[in-house]
Amino acid sequence: MASTNSLISLLRRLRTELGIDSILNSSRDTKLLCLQRFVRLFAYGASTLILAAYLSSLGISDTRIGLFMTLTLLGDVVISFGLTLFADGLGRRNVLIAGASLMTASGIIFTLNDKYWVLVTASILGVISPSGSEIGPFRAIEESTLAQLTPSAIRSDIFAWYMLVGTAGSAGGMILCGWIVEELKSVSGWANTRAYRLIFGLYALLGILKLVLSLMLSDACEPEPEKPLHHPDVQLDVLEAEGLLSDDENEQREGSRPQPVAVPNVQKKSIWPQISPSSRSVLIKLSFLFAFDSFASGLTPQSWITYFFTRKFGLPEGKLGTLFFVTNIVASVSNLVAASISKRIGLVKTMVFTHLPSAILLALIPVPSNVILAMTFLVLRASMQSMDQAPRQAFLSAVVLPNERTAVMGALNVAKTLSQSGGPVVTGWLASLNKFWIAFLIAGSLKAGYDLAMLKMFLGYKTHEDKVAQRGEVQDEVSSNSRVQLS
């Protein structure tokens, strides 16, 4: 009996630590947003596995493949900046619907066309991901919405599951794509280009599914109107007007009635975002740091890593798909562990101490001449490379005002994508010189530098939510003391 109770207690604790209760009890919109991310990353994973190989099968050189990825990321900067900047004003659902429509159109164009500049244009407008990870406006809007729908106490749990389902989707897309392509080529005798185009047809279908999911979101996903009455300064004015802060009780009884407190009028909704000075300061610092890290990511996106393993070790698509399925599943599980760790040591420490070892392992991937050892480094890196993402988004959600989240997250994504865009063309040039390994070495070194800078600049930093909570405690104490004086 005692052992049964201990087991039940352990399972309950495990459910809490892994955030299972948090995601199960979350709103319908939260679950829909997570499902959208799964579908989108499934499509990204499938297309990323064969993107470089597809372009190569069309007779495009390594240098131009790198240029293709760079132009895609640069174009995405413009699209993402425009859509996320005005997302709250135009309607978050409307922007997600428009993005899903463009995603569908790009899949169709990749299936039917082989002209280089047409494909570049479709890749920019339709958000074809060279890295297999998030580009485009989707993530900033979804994360801002999730932060709005989720209490701060369980926000890291929800972000961990949001990251997990995305990574799992990417893993599923990669393994399915790899084995479909290999089956079509080896059994059905399809040419490489024809098999790859089938995958982009699947990409278009997944875009339609994402469109349907976007249409199912409710009005709760739209930004909440500002509530000036709850502003801390106004609340203090109300307390003073009611005499709760006065030391003279007789003056309260004999004095005139308090004048009404002037409450700022709610301004007409504008599509232009407003960012406070304190948030602008944080935005500038984080833009610099994230850009540093993203340039390193741009040097070694998954498209180039799959191409590296194909060129150096001759791995077929099926084995490549299985390899990256394993790495993504490992990364998915690690996201839940990161949420538990962050509750104990804090968000910033979790971000740094999990990401730094993965940076070192990234630099080691091209060193071995043995494929098993190289794959081991890749899998070990995957076990830690995304553990910083959920704590990072929870930290970002807490460090700015709620009505600024979409604009700030969008601006950061633009900074990240802009800096990331410089990486692929550099790697393409290095690959053409048979110096692929240098890209991995530079990327690992830059990521390690980012981690150390993040630790120095933000360790012990008080977030906006910390300050609000502290201010609330002070107000409660003042109010309590005033009531004691009145009595």
Side-chain angles (χ1 to χ4, degrees):
M1 184 68 178
S3 61
T4 302
N5 291 335
S6 298
L7 179 60
I8 293 174
S9 177
L10 178 62
L11 291 175
R12 285 176 178 170
R13 184 177 176 184
L14 190 63
R15 283 166 60 96
T16 303
E17 289 292 334
L18 298 181
I20 296 174
D21 288 331
S22 299
I23 191 65
L24 289 178
N25 296 327
S26 64
S27 66
R28 175 175 175 270
D29 286 321
T30 296
K31 295 182 179 72
L32 281 173
L33 289 169
C34 289
L35 185 57
Q36 279 196 55
R37 179 171 165 83
F38 177 86
V39 171
R40 185 170 67 255
L41 268 293
F42 191 99
Y44 288 171
S47 61
T48 295
L49 188 74
I50 48 92
L51 178 61
Y54 173 60
L55 296 174
S56 181
S57 73
L58 298 177
I60 299 171
S61 67
D62 290 349
T63 303
R64 294 192 83 198
I65 292 174
L67 179 62
F68 177 97
M69 296 180 188
T70 291
L71 292 175
T72 297
L73 293 169
L74 284 173
D76 174 68
V77 170
V78 179
I79 300 295
S80 296
F81 181 74
L83 291 179
T84 55
L85 187 65
F86 304 116
D88 285 356
L90 298 174
R92 293 172 180 170
R93 286 176 300 173
N94 292 335
V95 175
L96 292 175
I97 289 168
S101 302
L102 289 171
M103 181 177 169
T104 302
S106 70
I108 294 172
I109 292 173
F110 266 73
T111 305
L112 303 176
N113 201 289
D114 60 359
K115 299 295 188 293
Y116 182 81
W117 291 109
V118 173
L119 295 178
V120 168
T121 304
S123 182
I124 292 171
L125 296 177
V127 199
I128 297 288
S129 174
S131 62
S133 58
E134 285 284 14
I135 63 172
F138 303 116
R139 179 170 173 175
I141 297 170
E142 289 173 355
E143 286 175 344
S144 176
T145 307
L146 286 173
Q148 175 180 303
L149 297 172
T150 308
S152 59
I154 62 169
R155 197 172 288 151
S156 62
D157 291 339
I158 296 300
F159 277 127
W161 279 96
Y162 176 76
M163 298 299 173
L164 181 148
V165 297
T167 314
S170 181
M174 284 189 162
I175 192 168
L176 181 66
C177 167
W179 287 110
I180 285 177
V181 169
E182 188 161 331
E183 187 75 11
L184 291 173
K185 288 165 60 177
S186 61
V187 177
S188 302
W190 284 32
N192 287 349
T193 304
R194 185 184 178 192
Y196 297 151
R197 282 178 173 164
L198 179 67
I199 300 302
F200 287 107
L202 174 63
Y203 186 94
L205 292 176
L206 291 169
I208 294 173
L209 177 56
K210 187 188 178 308
L211 175 62
V212 172
L213 293 172
S214 298
L215 291 168
M216 294 172 64
L217 294 171
S218 73
D219 290 339
C221 294
E222 301 300 345
E224 294 177 336
E226 295 185 41
K227 301 175 182 178
L229 279 171
H230 297 290
H231 192 278
D233 294 337
V234 175
Q235 289 180 339
L236 284 174
D237 287 343
V238 172
L239 289 172
E240 290 171 354
E242 290 175 351
L244 294 179
L245 300 184
S246 172
D247 291 329
D248 191 345
E249 184 178 352
N250 293 328
E251 188 176 320
Q252 289 177 358
R253 294 175 180 172
E254 298 172 6
S256 60
R257 295 172 63 86
Q259 295 298 316
V261 179
V263 177
N265 292 326
V266 178
Q267 295 182 350
K268 186 178 179 180
K269 183 178 178 181
S270 170
I271 65 171
W272 291 96
Q274 310 250 337
I275 300 178
S276 63
S278 60
S279 295
R280 278 199 298 270
S281 174
V282 173
L283 175 59
I284 292 170
K285 292 177 183 177
L286 289 177
S287 294
F288 172 77
L289 291 173
F290 288 178
F292 202 66
D293 178 54
S294 294
F295 177 75
S297 298
L299 289 168
T300 54
Q302 284 194 348
S303 292
W304 273 135
I305 294 177
T306 58
Y307 196 56
F308 168 78
F309 273 89
T310 299
R311 277 185 49 170
K312 183 170 182 176
F313 301 110
L315 289 181
E317 286 83 2
K319 291 183 178 179
L320 274 175
T322 303
L323 171 61
F324 284 93
F325 172 81
V326 172
T327 61
N328 280 280
I329 289 298
V330 169
S332 297
V333 176
S334 69
N335 278 317
L336 294 182
V337 179
S340 180
I341 294 173
S342 68
K343 295 173 185 175
R344 289 167 169 76
I345 67 174
L347 297 173
V348 175
K349 287 183 180 178
T350 304
M351 290 159 58
V352 173
F353 295 153
T354 59
H355 192 256
L356 183 58
S358 74
I360 298 171
L361 289 165
L362 175 63
L364 294 176
I365 289 174
V367 173
S369 56
N370 180 280
V371 65
I372 301 298
L373 189 54
M375 290 166 65
T376 301
F377 284 145
L378 185 67
V379 173
L380 287 174
R381 184 219 173 198
S383 68
M384 290 174 281
Q385 74 177 89
S386 61
M387 288 181 73
D388 69 313
Q389 293 184 17
R392 182 169 63 189
Q393 297 313 120
F395 175 76
L396 181 56
S397 298
V399 85
V400 299
L401 297 170
N403 61 308
E404 300 169 343
R405 285 175 183 147
T406 302
V408 169
M409 289 179 176
L412 285 173
N413 279 348
V414 166
K416 288 160 60 178
T417 307
L418 185 62
S419 58
Q420 186 180 358
S421 64
V425 71
V426 174
T427 303
W429 173 68
L430 290 171
S432 68
L433 299 176
N434 291 321
K435 302 291 184 182
F436 224 141
W437 61 273
I438 295 179
F440 288 88
L441 180 61
I442 296 173
S445 302
L446 290 176
K447 284 181 172 290
Y450 152 79
D451 290 321
L452 297 175
M454 189 78 190
L455 186 66
K456 181 172 179 58
M457 293 177 69
F458 286 100
L459 183 62
Y461 186 87
K462 284 191 177 296
T463 68
H464 166 72
E465 291 184 347
D466 291 335
K467 294 173 184 176
V468 170
Q470 191 175 42
R471 190 184 296 122
E473 291 174 1
V474 171
Q475 289 181 11
D476 289 342
E477 185 178 350
V478 170
S479 179
S480 177
N481 291 339
S482 300
R483 290 191 184 96
V484 170
Q485 291 173 0
L486 289 172
S487 63

